[in-house]
Amino acid sequence: MDVANRRISDQLHLMGQILEILDENPFKVRAYTRAAELIGRLATPVADISLEELESIEGIGTAIAQKVREMVEDGTFRELEEVKGRVPPGLVEMLALEGVGPKTVRVLWKKLHVETIEDLEKAARGHRIRALKGFGEKKEQGFLKAIANARRRQSDMRMTRQEADMVIGEVRQAMSEGTYEVAGSYRRGRSTIGDIDIVTVESPSHLNRRLRSIADEMIDEGERKSSFWCRGSRVDVRYTPSSTYGSMLLYLTGAKAFNIRLREIALGKGWRLNEYGIRDLARGTVHEFSREEDIFAFLGMDIIPPELREDWGEIDAALSHRLPALIEGSHVRGDLHVHSSWSDGSMDLEALARAGEACGYSYLLCTDHSSSLGVARGLDESALKRQSHEIEMVNRATSCQILHGVEVDILADGTTGLPSRVLKDLDVVVGSVHSAFTQETDLMTRRVLSAIGNEHVDIIGHPTGRLLGQREAYAIDMQRVIESAAETGTALECNASPYRMDIDDVHIREAVNHGGFISIGTDAHGPGDLAWMNYGVRLCRRGWAGPGNVINTLNMHDLLEWAS
Ligand code: DGT
Ligand code: CA
Ligand code: CA
Ligand code: ZN
């Protein structure tokens, strides 16, 4: 679509919407909306069409044709500016929210005096919207979600993997099975995602039409690529014939630094590599690749898993056939950080065991909070005793065994929130920092080192304490933590909650290099959260971790042995 036409179409559309907010003549509203659609579909730039030709298009009358000319020359038209002046400017901004049209805006404006997005947010939070006729609680929630999406779109905040999965779930509805792959940072398993990149062999004209139906807004629509907003996130789609699908997938998976290094390697052999294939510069022949694997073979290297493609040494390793064997989801025998309804989780112990069974696990480590900080309904010594009895009962009836652990607070002075007397009877103990986050680096580091040195603490939970998009990691010297944990054989957690992803790839890599152990825990508080294991596994792969580095691959007997 022509960009200038698009802008003109948008302005005509806006004119119709503002007239509707003002409750003007519905025929006039329809005339603008119709004209907007027609101009939006024109292949020829409007600037190249004469006034007479414009007027002759069915659905564009003399009046609107004049306004189109005005827009071509001035970028706007007088009547639009005039009606804009008759409504608070915030109303036009509200129209950009998903699920908010002129009728809604009018009602909110007239009945609740909502004039800005902030007003709308306040009204929704104050439950004032559900009182309106035809507006339920669901609509109220919808507004809040649309506002959050719009803000995310404006800021350059990266998505959590869970948010990315939601966007992809939506896009999937427009795509046909087996015709596409999600590439980019998502495919590389990164802890956060900037935008979603998709490679597809579908026909652009067909798919673009379907994408329009799921998009909040199209950014760009073409034969080679399209971009759009979906649930507040940007999605880029690249079209390719199946004969060059492998090259396009490789290119779009990146990372950029990896692509550049790989291109240099190819160039060293006299080949130019790009997203369409490999050209032999001496002979002038071009090789096309429908499969990514064949490109690696052509270059004489092993297939590099997407998670490793960062130019962190994987290219040399693949050339010399020394790539590490990475951990896989199927190696994982259990989750090592799960909360039950004994503290702030939603599952009782039986539900926990069943959820573990459904994942095919042989064990789940139940790690409810200790009571030391008086938060999140923590457990004290006697509660833990009672919990232990109940675990024994539940374990009789299920194939997935619940291991009795705790997530004990590492207090500001480095001692644990429960005494050794209590910790020594538990199967596996996770120690985490949940307070005094502002300690300076050395104090915080020594605090965590004391926990690592504590013979009863087996795992350090979410070691940097970051909450993605909300709280930075606390000041801590991770190098010292990693070295000390490797020396004592204490595992560092790879917390797979999409809100944490802590520790991240670089620290996992460092821990693996030091021969340290990693423990993956989802920090699940509900049954659906156990699925986050996959995020943790991918993060561990990014850190070059093999099954031997990750204690979740141990069978129950060996795990208990390891912890004792
Ligand atoms: P993100 O979206 O920030 O989480 O990270 P990516 O890696 O998905 O980056 P994105 O979406 O900007 O680009 C997708 C892929 O396209 C990227 O991984 C590699 C490739 N790419 C993008 N820009 C360039 C470039 O300038 N040169 C090369 N060689 N490749 C690029
Ligand atoms: Ca991306
Ligand atoms: Ca992109
Ligand atoms: Zn915690």
Side-chain angles (χ1 to χ4, degrees):
M1 194 199 307
D2 183 71
V3 183
N5 286 6
R6 172 68 191 257
R7 201 169 50 234
I8 287 169
S9 163
D10 285 349
Q11 285 178 307
L12 291 170
H13 189 64
L14 180 61
M15 180 74 185
Q17 288 184 307
I18 298 178
L19 290 175
E20 202 172 349
I21 293 175
L22 291 166
D23 207 18
E24 294 268 336
N25 181 345
F27 292 102
K28 204 166 161 192
V29 171
R30 262 195 49 128
Y32 277 106
T33 311
R34 176 105 198 278
E37 277 165 23
L38 290 167
I39 303 271
R41 266 190 264 126
L42 284 183
T44 323
V46 176
D48 300 342
I49 303 177
S50 71
L51 190 61
E52 293 73 42
E53 280 174 302
L54 260 180
E55 286 171 354
S56 71
I57 298 174
E58 161 128 33
I60 300 184
T62 318
I64 290 185
Q66 288 285 2
K67 281 158 196 150
V68 170
R69 296 307 319 164
E70 241 185 287
M71 279 186 275
V72 169
E73 272 147 41
D74 306 338
T76 181
F77 59 101
R78 204 173 38 77
E79 218 181 315
L80 174 64
E81 295 307 310
E82 189 259 319
V83 296
K84 271 191 193 168
R86 288 167 57 200
V87 295
L91 297 191
V92 174
E93 285 167 28
M94 278 167 59
L95 287 172
L97 296 173
E98 298 143 45
V100 178
K103 286 204 177 62
T104 304
V105 169
R106 179 175 171 81
V107 175
L108 293 167
W109 178 37
K110 291 290 170 190
K111 303 271 184 213
L112 294 179
H113 309 291
V114 165
E115 298 192 348
T116 61
I117 290 180
E118 288 69 36
D119 290 347
L120 176 61
E121 189 177 22
K122 267 190 221 143
R125 288 202 194 288
H127 304 313
R128 281 185 283 128
I129 289 172
R130 59 182 74 168
L132 293 172
K133 207 173 121 208
F135 289 68
E137 196 177 327
K138 220 170 135 195
K139 205 132 195 186
E140 218 166 61
Q141 290 303 319
F143 290 147
L144 289 174
K145 214 163 148 191
I147 293 170
N149 281 349
R151 291 210 176 118
R152 181 139 47 84
R153 218 188 280 178
Q154 277 159 12
S155 69
D156 52 7
M157 218 164 97
R158 298 175 64 82
M159 276 173 270
T160 63
R161 288 204 66 93
Q162 192 177 29
E163 285 165 337
D165 278 336
M166 261 150 56
V167 174
I168 291 165
E170 189 87 16
V171 176
R172 208 188 297 281
Q173 294 179 17
M175 319 271 307
S176 315
E177 193 82 35
T179 58
Y180 70 96
E181 228 158 315
V182 180
S185 53
Y186 182 85
R187 182 164 183 242
R188 300 199 311 280
R190 276 196 64 180
S191 50
T192 61
I193 312 294
D195 66 8
I196 308 272
D197 304 282
I198 293 176
V199 183
T200 180
V201 295
E202 286 205 69
S203 107
S205 56
H206 283 150
L207 186 59
N208 281 342
R209 178 150 28 82
R210 276 180 276 138
L211 291 177
R212 251 179 269 145
S213 72
I214 56 130
D216 307 340
E217 188 191 337
M218 297 302 288
I219 298 167
D220 185 31
E221 222 178 300
E223 295 284 309
R224 286 148 61 101
K225 57 181 168 190
S226 290
S227 297
F228 57 96
W229 293 106
C230 180
R231 285 174 171 257
S233 299
R234 189 190 166 107
V235 182
D236 292 337
V237 173
R238 278 297 291 258
Y239 293 105
T240 175
S242 53
S243 59
T244 57
Y245 182 77
S247 296
M248 188 58 84
L249 180 61
L250 181 79
Y251 174 82
L252 219 65
T253 298
K256 186 172 163 182
F258 169 88
N259 286 352
I260 292 169
R261 252 317 290 284
L262 202 64
R263 213 178 300 164
E264 285 167 7
I265 297 288
L267 220 47
K269 299 179 190 260
W271 300 324
R272 174 174 296 145
L273 178 150
N274 63 19
E275 63 266 52
Y276 307 109
I278 292 179
R279 173 185 286 270
D280 185 320
L281 292 171
R283 298 208 185 106
T285 49
V286 175
H287 298 264
E288 292 192 331
F289 300 91
S290 61
R291 303 179 337 143
E292 209 180 38
E293 303 89 284
D294 299 338
I295 306 171
F296 290 110
F298 192 91
L299 295 172
M301 57 209 298
D302 291 341
I303 298 168
I304 302 177
E307 293 92 339
L308 298 187
R309 301 182 196 168
E310 296 288 345
D311 193 21
W312 286 351
E314 72 284 0
I315 293 180
D316 288 334
L319 283 166
S320 55
H321 311 293
R322 284 181 297 107
L323 279 174
L326 301 177
I327 180 177
E328 291 170 19
S330 61
H331 298 148
V332 171
R333 298 184 191 236
D335 194 324
L336 295 174
H337 188 157
V338 180
H339 294 273
S340 81
S341 52
W342 279 72
S343 66
D344 57 349
S346 72
M347 291 174 282
D348 61 26
L349 293 170
E350 161 121 36
L352 215 66
R354 297 287 169 217
E357 274 180 347
C359 293
Y361 291 154
S362 24
Y363 54 81
L364 273 184
L365 179 63
C366 176
T367 52
D368 282 316
H369 290 284
S370 63
S371 62
S372 43
L373 295 168
V375 291
R377 308 210 292 132
L379 309 192
D380 60 11
E381 183 171 5
S382 84
L384 280 166
K385 278 223 173 72
R386 279 181 279 123
Q387 190 182 36
S388 165
H389 288 302
E390 196 179 313
I391 287 176
E392 246 172 68
M393 302 289 287
V394 169
N395 277 347
R396 283 185 203 154
T398 59
S399 65
C400 175
Q401 298 289 289
I402 297 183
L403 302 180
H404 196 198
V406 73
E407 184 179 9
V408 67
D409 295 313
I410 302 171
L411 302 176
D413 63 359
T415 60
T416 51
L418 290 165
S420 302
R421 172 182 84 242
V422 179
L423 299 182
K424 75 172 178 15
D425 291 336
L426 295 163
D427 293 324
V428 183
V429 171
V430 177
S432 304
V433 168
H434 287 129
S435 61
F437 297 121
T438 54
Q439 286 180 340
E440 53 88 21
T441 316
D442 194 53
L443 198 57
M444 181 62 90
T445 307
R446 281 190 285 125
R447 173 181 179 185
V448 172
L449 292 188
S450 350
I452 288 173
N454 184 323
E455 58 170 330
H456 301 298
V457 174
D458 305 301
I459 299 168
I460 301 298
H462 43 75
T464 79
R466 73 173 181 183
L467 284 176
L468 291 168
Q470 289 176 54
R471 191 174 74 208
E472 294 287 319
Y474 32 70
I476 186 165
D477 183 344
M478 280 306 291
Q479 196 58 40
R480 281 172 72 195
V481 167
I482 288 165
E483 284 166 14
S484 161
E487 270 163 34
T488 59
T490 306
L492 294 178
E493 181 177 66
C494 166
N495 188 298
S497 158
Y499 307 107
R500 292 187 180 272
M501 303 296 266
D502 180 13
I503 48 179
D504 209 334
D505 44 26
V506 285
H507 291 138
I508 294 170
R509 178 95 186 262
E510 196 61 27
V512 167
N513 284 343
H514 282 82
F517 292 117
I518 303 294
S519 144
I520 312 176
T522 59
D523 209 343
H525 286 72
D529 303 352
L530 291 174
W532 296 340
M533 178 57 67
N534 150 58
Y535 303 155
V537 170
R538 312 244 353 231
L539 219 49
C540 286
R541 290 168 65 85
R542 288 179 60 78
W544 294 49
N549 303 112
V550 180
I551 59 174
N552 305 61
T553 64
L554 297 172
N555 65 35
M556 193 168 80
H557 176 265
D558 291 348
L559 178 72
L560 293 173
E561 188 94 316
W562 172 85
S564 69

